[in-house]
Amino acid sequence: MRRLFSRRSRVWGRDIDMLTLRVSDPVGRGFLRSGSAANPVPRELVIRPVQGEEHRALDAVRRADGHWLRRWEATLPPDSLEHVPTFAQYVRRADIDHREGTGLIFGVQVDGAYVGQFSISNVHWGAMSTGMLGYWVLSEWAGRGLGSLAAALILDLVVGELGLHRVEVCVRPENERSLGVCRGLGLVEEGLRLRFMHIGGAWADHLAFFIDAESLPEGGLVRRRWGSSAID
């Protein structure tokens, strides 16, 4: 399933393989729970930056599970002067962010099929060196530990290796699964941010969590949560 890219397809100044995370036999090794009869014991989990037309395949997966994901999606307030970008504009912006180090979109694949997306956005370097983590996982993978494992792997990468000092995660108080991800990984809880983001047509409160270089445990979040490294 490895795909070749040209030299210009670098992400944050690195070859894309350097930012690709692979976990073999994630259920057998205790990182994920077994699930449906369709895919109870996946062979491999791959988390890799998405580029170009790959965004379209990932978006199709998200749209097909819209009944599960739509209630958590950001919306523009009615008085906004902005507009929702076209898909082509979105892809161009994402690829620019990848090249310039101002954003990072990971596709999560299980045995070659997309099952989720994790994104580092609002990246500011220099005196702040900060970003925000957002994510979605397909309904068929809910409750199997995929969100926790992917979040831990990505936070270990961007804080522990790529040089961000701090990453925030902001979660709706009623989103119990996402709250479980943040609390289960031991992220620092900062408190409630009133009317923080426009979600589903209204301004919504969010609970704020963060991890930074000082609070990242020795060996990383994956090692603290599961007791061993997930990467072969």
Side-chain angles (χ1 to χ4, degrees), residues 6-77:
S6 64
R7 289 185 179 180
R8 63 184 178 86
S9 298
R10 293 175 67 81
V11 178
W12 286 29
R14 295 163 172 82
D15 184 271
I16 198 169
D17 284 343
M18 296 178 65
L19 304 183
T20 298
L21 308 169
R22 299 178 183 273
V23 183
S24 62
D25 189 21
V27 171
R29 296 167 63 196
F31 295 106
L32 298 180
R33 292 180 284 278
S34 59
S36 66
N39 196 348
V41 186
R43 297 185 303 277
E44 185 180 47
L45 169 69
V46 177
I47 303 172
R48 192 176 69 95
V50 182
Q51 294 188 309
E53 286 300 307
E54 292 174 334
H55 289 282
R56 194 174 300 279
L58 183 56
D59 186 63
V61 170
R62 179 188 64 83
R63 289 178 180 276
D65 207 24
H67 68 284
W68 166 259
L69 300 170
R70 195 168 295 115
R71 63 178 297 202
W72 310 114
E73 293 179 350
T75 52
L76 290 177

